[in-house]
Structures are given as structure tokens and as C-alpha cells.
Amino acid sequence: MQHHRTCHLCEAMCGLELDHDGTRVTSVRPDPDDVFSAGFMCPKGVALTDLHDDPDRLRTPMIREGRTFREASWEEALNVAADRLHSVYKARGPEAIALYHGNPVAHSYGAAMVSQLIGPALRTRSFYSASSMDQLPHMFAAWQMFGHQLLMPVPDLDRTELFVILGGNPVVSNGSIMSAPGMPQRLKELRARGGELIVIDPRLTETARLADLHLPIRPGTDAMLLLALLHVIFAEHRVAEGPWRDRVRGLDRLQTVAAGWPPARVARATGIDADTIVDLARRIARPRVAVYGRMGVCTQRYGGVNAWLLYALNVVTGNLDAPGGMMRPEPPVDLLVLARLLGKDGGYDRFRTRVHGLPEVGGELPIAALAEEIETRGAGQLRGLLTVAGNPALSAPNAGRLQGALGRLDAMVSIDYYLNETTCHAHVILPPESPLERDHFDVALLAFAVRSIARYSEPTFTPSPEVRSDFDILLDLLGRVVARRGGLRDRAVAWGLGLGRRIGKERLLDLLIRVGPHGAWRPGGRHRLTLDHLRRRPHGIDLGPMEPSIFDRVATPDGLVRLDPDVCLADLHRLEDEAAANAAPGLLLIGRRHLRSNNSWLHNSERLVRGKDRCTLQIHPDDAGSRGIADGDSVRLASRVGRLTTRAEVTDAVMPGVVSMPHGWGHDQPGARLSVAAASPGQNVNRVTDDHLFDTLTCNAALNGVPVTVERVPAANGLETEA
Ligand SMILES: Nc1nc2c(c(=O)[nH]1)N[C@H]1C(S)=C(S)[C@@H](COP(=O)(O)OP(=O)(O)OC[C@H]3O[C@@H](n4cnc5c(=O)[nH]c(N)nc54)[C@H](O)[C@@H]3O)O[C@H]1N2
Ligand SMILES: Nc1nc2c(c(=O)[nH]1)N[C@H]1C(S)=C(S)[C@@H](COP(=O)(O)OP(=O)(O)OC[C@H]3O[C@@H](n4cnc5c(=O)[nH]c(N)nc54)[C@H](O)[C@@H]3O)O[C@H]1N2
Ligand code: SF4
Ligand SMILES: [Mo]
């Protein structure tokens, strides 16, 4: 039998064609008829079946007793979980329970729908997620400039004539805040229509190899480069004319700031010479140019300022909300309205963390503070944690410290497929259905696709009655916790949660689609979509290219885009100080993604981990030479917080002064149950990244640009991780 479904593993949302016999998938191919991915998939597509078949994937709830876990019924596990969380609530108050949402929440519409209710239901504001080691600076800038944190513009990749990427590697990551399956093909088409690609990245990445121009940049200096680009554009009177000028404010203040950053001032710090910067500015100040920045500009010490300057640059060149520039699609579910109704349209510094007083961004507290909030005694100390689809023990900075903290919680409940490095600390693990046993719709990611499309996938296999969805598990658990509080309001909330379960996520989704921009209940709509429509069109429905709509959706108090947010301007003093100081010549650590990895959690698939060791430390020949390091040597990588030993890969793909190592590895943790991953565990680079190193504006973790030392160790010492 054949079944078509969306791959939910990354933001590209490829359409897949599966053959199966009713219980097992026998082959996975890219769906040639898919309206969006048109016959593309990456090697991870097959991992859907590997996940489904994986004997290590949990099929029943697990309860920890001492160091071991035993299987339990849903009834028992949910009650134990609710009892544990409730006793923390009773003894320490609601804020003593924290939530952590991992990246896959964004890929599960059931989990995403309920996730917004968890905080209010548990009455806690201690909300953490992978966002604060990812795209939070973009959300912050969108909130400051456009008045809505989800109004993040997307490159109009298929029509741009110059695509400039700072700190993104879409050929490997398959795009982020830019859903565009088939990146190599799309980049080929860009070149075929005479367009150009410029990549600004400390490493000669797989994407940079396809570029017309690769500019290696010293990590953490993008803000200086962006200011210098603005400087040239203003100084040479290249600011675009157009109706956008009536829809923004703060252009003069932006100009004043940029005036202080001539290219010559930033050349040494960035490693890009002044003439090149001038030339780049001239090329950017034209129509149909998209300047896009991703992880490399977010997860560093100037994430917030970078995101602001990037968006501002696209505005002054006239490319915001213009074809070929940075735009937004019109997805079937209106995420902007939905988020506003849920109070999730943005915010900043309305409350702070207890220990170091770090500000909330969009209702989130920074992951960099999670360990200290668990460790530090006093009123409000975190004693309980609910993790949903996350593995912070591997993914968060200073992971060694966080792992220690997780082990000391009074109540930890995890909703996850695996007994892994994080969930091994939980008292109860509640596993959701396999990806093939659930339906799929991209509530969030379709709002960041390079075209407007709609696509829904039915479950491939009918789940057996004992299997539960993230949606049902979360609602059931929350209902039980709330019911234990016993007040009148609590009973009303518990009833509401029960009602949500009875309505079911499919009917809620149908409702959201019907009232959405292309929905059946939208007056004058062309497509009149319902969930049933989508069920009949498994290859998806193309809703057309992006159209200008950002300026119309701006939600600032005066309806104008702010080019000069006060908090961003104020943050520039850090950059001034840095430019004045003589940069230390030490080594800076950056990350690296691989096509066959997905953060920490696909390393239990035999065919995805096969092949040579990927968990190496890339180092430039000059830096290796001066340290007596040869290719393949064991090296010790150390920072303020930790050290590890791994193998050196000497390569001029990284610029001098920079070393690179991937994250998501370190599967040698006792207590985890990942038999394939444990056979080639690699090292957890986040034992070296530093929880005290973050963007002090948004408090987003700085996983890139970490000061480190590297030294050769005699091979006999072997490869082991040290705390
Ligand atoms: N050094 C360094 N560290 C990094 C990064 C980096 O570039 N460098 N990148 C950062 C980024 S961008 C991110 S997003 C984070 C990711 O950080 P996390 O989200 O914390 O980690 P993941 O590895 O994505 O783990 C996802 C977990 O969800 C589980 N899971 C998968 N699907 C589902 C599901 O449908 N339901 C449930 N309940 N569970 C599910 C998996 O088993 C796994 O345990 O890592 C960050 N860490
Ligand atoms: N195969 C695969 N795909 C993935 C993932 C995965 O783990 N594997 N993870 C998914 C997730 S959660 C995310 S968030 C996306 C991320 O998607 P991307 O952002 O496209 O991916 P990264 O590889 O993190 O790219 C960051 C780039 O920034 C560069 N960089 C580091 N520091 C700096 C700096 O200071 N300045 C500049 N200009 N560049 C810098 C790095 O060398 C790297 O090439 O990928 C998603 N897709
Ligand atoms: S690029 Fe790969 S992982 Fe991402 S959606 Fe497509 S097949 Fe899945
Ligand atoms: Mo991410």
C-alpha cells in the first residue's frame, strides 16, 4: 500500500511517498507530485521508519525506581506524575515548577496546541525552551520592530536575484525560518536565472561551496559588519525610494548610529577588508535582494542587535515586503492572530529570573539560567520540571552542570520517545505515538515557508488503543494536576482541559483552518479550505507565491515599523567597547550540522550514524601547526566550564582562529537506553559551551564564538569526556 505524508523532522516539510504492508514501511521515496517539495527528500526522510521500528523507542510509560525504570500503565504513570508535580506545587508554590519545550514541539501540532495551556494550567511563568538557544533574537527583533514576535520575514528565495546568508547553512540544515525543500535545486535555479549567492560564515560550509562569494567572518562580529553596510548605504545615498518610507519611523536615528561605523573601523575585527564591505553594500542596495541570517547570527553574543540590523538593512534597501526580498507567506492557519489571542505576540522584560535577574522574552526565560534556578536555594527555587520533546542534557550550554541539576529535582516528568540523556533523570516518562501513528499538519512552520501552501497527512498506521498522542497525554496530565488543587477555578480548568480532549486536535485544527485566511468560513476566500479538503489532497495545495503583507500586519502602537528600538540602540555600547578593545587572539568555538543528524535525537538510526566519525574538532592548519597537532590526533578542547577529548580534523574549511564541533552527541551517559547511539557516542560539545556566555540583550545562549583552548593529548589517553 502507498501512503503520502509530510516528513516532520525539519522545517523543510518534504512530501514523502511510503510503501507499507499495514504494519511496516517497506520503502520511503520523495513524493514527485508534492506541490512544495516536488520530488526532494534528504537522507533523514527514511528515519521516520527507523523511529517507528526502533526497539529502543518507548511503547509504554516508565516509572523510575532508584536508578532503574519499570514499565507502568498509563493510569499509574499519569497519577504518579501528577502526584509528584502537585507535591512540589503544594510545598513550594507554582513557580517552583518549570516547563521545558524542545524543538520537536514546533513539528507536532497537537503538542504545540496544548503547549500554550501548560503554563496557565500549572500557574507558572517558569517557561524555558529550545528557542533561547535558537531563534529568540529574531522573535525579539520582530516584536520590537513589527510589534509581533512571529512576524519574522522569510527570504523570497525563488525570486531573489541576490541571496546573502549570514550564519546559516541551508544546504545541510535544509533551511530554518525559511522552509524550502530542495535547497540545492533552488540555489541552482537562482544561479540559472542569473542570480547570485553570497555566504558570510567563519567556515567554508556546504552552502558556501555553492556560493559566488564566501566571506569568512570572525565569529561574533556580524553586528559590526551590518552597521558598516548600513554606513555605506547611507553615506552613498543608496537608501531606496518607495512607499515604505511612510510606513517606518526611526530612519534618521538609524542613520546617525550607522555613521559611527565606517568599513575601515570594522575591517580588522570582522576579518573582512573595507573595500569588500563597500562593494557588498553596493550590491545589496538594489531591488530583489534578500539578506538573511540564521543560527550563526542568533546564537552569539549579539543576537538581538544582529536580528534588528538585518531586518533594518532589508528595509532601507526597499526589500522588506517586496518580491525577491524578505516577505511572508499566507499560511492556512493565521498564526499571527492565534498567537495574539493566546497572549503570545511578544513581550520583553515583564518579569525576570530569580537568581541573575535575566529578562523574559516573549514569555520565555533563558535556557542559560535553568541550571542555576534549579541549584540555587531560596524562595522560588525550581524543584519540578516537565519536559516535552526536549533533550537539554545534550543541547543546552554547560550541559554538564545542567545534567547535575536535573538529577536533583523532586519531580521531573518527561514526554518523549526515548529514555535518553535528559529523560533518564525523570521520575516518569510518558511516550507519545510514533510519527507514523499520528496525523500531521504544520501549524507553525507553514508561516515561514517560501511559498504559501497547505498540506495535511493522515496517520500511516492506525495506532493501537494503548498508544497516546502528545495532545492527549498533556491534556490528561494537566487535568490531573489541576484537579489535585481542588478549588472551584481549578475544577473549571480541569473541565475545560477534558473538553479539549473530547473535541480532539483534528476538530480544533479544522476550526483553525476554516477561519484562516484561505478557509471555508472566510468571506470572499478563493480556496475555501477545510480539513476534509486537505485530506483529499495528500500532495498538498499550492496557494501561490508570497505577496506583500508585512507592512499591513505591523502591530506596533502607531502601525509603523520601528527602525530604532531603544533597547537595541542602548545595547550598542557593548559593541563600542568591543571595537575599542584589542580583540584577544585566542580560539573561538563554533558549531556544525550534518545532513544525517538532527540535533541530538536521530543517532539511534543505524543508517544515519554509519560512516566515519563526524564528531571531530575542525581546526585550521595554522592553528594546528602552532600547537603540534596533526590530522587525526587526540585533542583536548577546554573552556571556562568544561573540557573534552576528541579527534582533530585539520582543514582550511575553518578560518584561522576558529574551531568547529557539532552538537547533539555524547551518548555515553549511564542510564540512557539508546543502543545504536551508545555504540558511537561522540562527545557532547555543550560540556564546553558556557552558560554565562549569552547575548545580554535577549539572553539567548551564545553557542557560537565560545573562547576555548585546544591542545594535543597523547593518543594513549583515549577519547573520554571529562566534567
Ligand atoms: N552547541 C550547540 N548546541 C545546540 C545547537 C548548536 O547549534 N550548537 N543548536 C541548538 C538548537 S537550534 C536547538 S533547536 C536545540 C535542540 O534542543 P532540544 O529540542 O532540547 O533537543 P533535541 O535534540 O531536538 O531533542 C528532541 C527530543 O524530543 C524527542 N521527540 C522527538 N519528537 C517528539 C515528539 O513528537 N513528541 C515528543 N514528546 N518527543 C519527541 C526526542 O526523542 C528528543 O529527546 O539544540 C541547541 N543546541
Ligand atoms: N541536518 C540537520 N538539519 C537541521 C538540524 C540538524 O541538527 N541537522 N537542526 C535544525 C535546527 S533545530 C535548526 S535551528 C536549523 C539551523 O539552521 P542553520 O542556521 O541553517 O544551520 P547551522 O548549521 O546551525 O548554521 C549556522 C552557521 O553559522 C555559522 N556561524 C557560526 N558563528 C557565526 C558567526 O559569528 N557569524 C556568522 N556569520 N556565522 C557564524 C556556522 O559556521 C554555521 O555554518 O537547522 C535545522 N535543520
Ligand atoms: S529535508 Fe530531510 S529531514 Fe527535512 S523534511 Fe525533508 S526529508 Fe525530512
Ligand atoms: Mo533549532
Side-chain angles (χ1 to χ4, degrees):
M1 281 176 284
Q2 218 177 52
H3 183 245
H4 294 96
R5 70 174 298 127
T6 306
C7 172
H8 73 292
L9 293 175
C10 86
E11 296 175 45
M13 305 182 277
C14 299
L16 307 181
E17 193 170 87
L18 279 57
D19 292 334
H20 66 93
D21 60 12
T23 52
R24 277 182 78 101
V25 167
T26 48
S27 83
V28 182
R29 292 176 300 275
D31 175 3
D33 300 321
D34 189 89
V35 297
F36 193 37
S37 56
F40 175 83
M41 74 171 201
C42 87
K44 287 189 296 298
V46 294
L48 291 184
T49 63
D50 293 357
L51 275 168
H52 180 75
D53 298 336
D54 189 345
D56 286 336
R57 183 173 57 81
L58 303 176
R59 266 78 170 172
T60 49
M62 306 292 278
I63 294 179
R64 180 154 65 83
E65 278 168 358
R67 285 171 179 276
T68 55
F69 281 85
R70 66 170 171 85
E71 295 187 356
S73 70
W74 280 102
E75 193 58 26
E76 185 192 6
L78 286 161
N79 279 331
V80 171
D83 284 340
R84 284 241 173 213
L85 291 172
H86 182 64
S87 35
V88 170
Y89 173 86
K90 245 184 15 201
R92 303 286 198 132
E95 301 288 342
I97 301 176
L99 315 171
Y100 174 79
H101 284 179
N103 166 277
V105 171
H107 303 264
S108 160
Y109 82 91
M113 275 178 181
V114 191
S115 68
Q116 305 306 327
L117 306 177
I118 306 178
L122 297 182
R123 297 191 193 153
T124 179
R125 293 184 304 186
S126 304
F127 178 71
Y128 299 80
S129 90
S131 294
S132 59
M133 41 182 163
D134 192 345
Q135 81 289 353
L136 211 61
H138 278 313
M139 295 169 66
F140 170 83
W143 159 248
Q144 291 289 335
M145 299 175 72
F146 310 129
H148 197 304
Q149 63 178 359
L150 297 182
L151 202 45
M152 293 182 281
V154 177
D156 186 9
L157 183 57
D158 296 338
R159 290 183 292 188
T160 192
E161 281 166 17
L162 174 60
F163 185 30
V164 183
I165 304 177
L166 290 95
N169 186 13
V171 167
V172 165
S173 70
N174 286 298
S176 181
I177 319 185
M178 173 181 60
S179 291
M183 192 56 64
Q185 180 61 25
R186 287 179 200 262
L187 293 178
K188 210 182 278 171
E189 286 163 10
L190 164 75
R191 307 283 291 279
R193 62 176 183 268
E196 286 185 312
L197 171 67
I198 297 178
V199 174
I200 302 171
D201 197 300
R203 194 168 74 85
L204 178 65
T205 61
E206 295 74 1
T207 307
R209 287 177 197 278
L210 301 182
D212 299 273
L213 179 65
H214 168 228
L215 298 174
I217 185 168
R218 179 109 178 122
T221 62
D222 301 80
M224 295 191 209
L225 172 67
L226 292 165
L227 283 163
L229 291 170
L230 284 165
H231 175 101
V232 177
I233 289 169
F234 281 114
E236 297 190 352
H237 308 289
R238 292 177 189 273
V239 176
E241 293 302 328
W244 66 269
R245 283 171 173 265
D246 299 328
R247 309 188 81 169
V248 307
R249 53 183 273 210
L251 187 62
D252 43 348
R253 282 222 290 178
L254 184 67
Q255 175 163 15
T256 308
V257 166
W261 293 91
R265 183 177 177 202
V266 308
R268 199 174 56 96
T270 57
I272 303 176
D273 67 65
D275 288 344
T276 305
I277 296 174
V278 171
D279 181 58
L280 182 61
R282 290 174 183 163
R283 290 164 80 172
I284 286 173
R286 287 193 192 141
R288 293 190 175 260
V289 175
V291 185
Y292 158 84
R294 208 35 208 96
M295 276 291 284
V297 292
C298 285
T299 51
Q300 52 141 292
R301 286 170 48 241
Y302 294 99
V305 161
N306 284 339
W308 155 55
L309 292 171
L310 271 165
Y311 292 162
L313 190 58
N314 285 291
V315 172
V316 303
T317 60
N319 281 301
L320 186 85
D321 218 17
M326 298 290 282
M327 306 187 77
R328 66 174 281 276
E330 200 62 83
V333 170
D334 196 327
L335 202 59
L336 298 179
V337 168
L338 190 61
R340 188 166 312 124
L341 291 175
L342 294 167
K344 292 285 177 180
D345 48 343
Y348 181 54
D349 203 11
R350 293 165 297 184
F351 53 96
R352 294 182 171 203
T353 63
R354 185 176 55 101
V355 180
H356 275 107
L358 306 181
E360 140 292 324
V361 174
E364 295 208 15
L365 294 171
I367 186 72
L370 182 57
E372 68 186 22
E373 291 293 324
I374 297 173
E375 287 168 354
T376 313
R377 286 172 199 280
Q381 180 185 7
L382 292 182
R383 300 305 312 155
L385 177 66
L386 171 61
T387 74
V388 185
N391 193 5
L394 291 193
S395 54
N398 200 353
R401 178 181 184 185
L402 184 59
Q403 288 184 8
L406 294 180
R408 290 200 284 277
L409 289 164
D410 297 330
M412 178 168 164
V413 178
S414 292
I415 304 183
D416 205 289
Y417 292 138
Y418 286 107
L419 176 41
N420 64 18
E421 299 77 11
T422 294
T423 62
C424 69
H425 298 289
H427 297 96
V428 181
I429 309 175
L430 304 167
E433 81 280 68
S434 105
L436 297 180
E437 291 166 330
R438 76 174 188 215
D439 66 339
H440 182 80
F441 179 84
D442 284 286
V443 157
L445 297 173
L446 289 174
F448 305 102
V450 300
R451 278 186 83 81
S452 302
I453 68 142
R455 195 207 287 126
Y456 173 78
S457 313
E458 303 270 17
T460 309
F461 301 129
T462 317
S464 57
E466 63 272 20
V467 165
R468 307 229 178 155
S469 67
D470 280 314
F471 181 85
D472 284 340
I473 297 169
L474 271 164
L475 285 179
D476 196 343
L477 175 65
L478 291 178
R480 285 173 203 244
V481 179
V482 170
R484 278 162 173 70
R485 296 199 299 242
L488 204 62
R489 205 183 100 197
D490 301 312
R491 264 179 281 162
V493 173
W495 181 85
L497 295 168
L499 180 67
R501 272 190 85 188
R502 285 194 297 280
I503 294 173
K505 63 185 190 327
E506 293 82 0
R507 271 194 276 175
L508 287 171
L509 177 61
D510 184 40
L511 182 76
L512 292 176
I513 291 171
R514 282 170 187 266
V515 300
H518 308 282
W521 294 347
R522 181 58 70 103
R526 201 153 57 86
H527 296 279
R528 317 208 57 81
L529 296 183
T530 65
L531 189 57
D532 270 339
H533 274 93
L534 298 190
R535 283 199 166 102
R536 292 194 295 270
R537 307 277 286 277
H539 308 288
I541 298 173
D542 183 41
L543 302 166
M546 297 195 278
E547 281 169 29
S549 65
I550 295 179
F551 283 115
D552 295 338
R553 299 297 293 266
V554 166
T556 52
D558 58 8
L560 300 178
V561 170
R562 296 217 40 181
L563 295 177
D564 61 344
D566 291 329
V567 285
C568 296
L569 290 181
D571 196 39
L572 290 177
H573 76 87
R574 284 196 292 144
L575 212 57
E576 295 280 353
D577 294 347
E578 184 141 335
N582 258 328
L587 289 177
L588 297 177
L589 172 70
I590 62 167
R592 186 167 90 235
R593 284 178 154 76
H594 191 280
L595 198 52
R596 283 184 290 124
S597 285
N598 194 25
N599 298 324
S600 75
W601 67 281
L602 290 183
H603 296 150
N604 215 45
S605 158
E606 190 79 58
R607 58 184 135 190
L608 292 183
V609 289
R610 234 189 334 243
K612 70 174 197 219
D613 180 17
R614 320 207 278 260
C615 198
T616 57
L617 184 80
Q618 293 189 338
I619 184 167
H620 189 273
D622 294 353
D623 296 319
S626 62
R627 288 167 179 76
I629 296 167
D631 192 53
D633 278 354
S634 287
V635 287
R636 177 159 301 148
L637 173 72
S639 72
R640 185 188 74 87
V641 303
R643 49 196 182 143
L644 58 83
T645 307
T646 188
R647 218 172 284 288
E649 181 185 340
V650 179
T651 166
D652 58 9
V654 285
M655 67 192 286
V658 173
V659 291
S660 164
M661 191 167 158
H663 73 285
W665 298 89
H667 304 291
D668 48 2
Q669 174 103 355
R673 192 188 297 169
L674 296 160
S675 43
V676 177
S680 40
Q683 306 291 324
N684 182 3
V685 74
N686 284 323
R687 282 181 168 263
V688 169
T689 59
D690 190 339
D691 52 339
H692 286 183
L693 198 72
F694 50 82
D695 170 28
T696 50
L697 179 59
T698 65
C699 297
N700 200 66
L703 303 165
N704 287 294
V706 182
V708 290
T709 57
V710 177
E711 62 183 50
R712 183 172 170 271
V713 290
N717 283 13
L719 299 172
E720 86 283 12
T721 312
E722 298 148 78

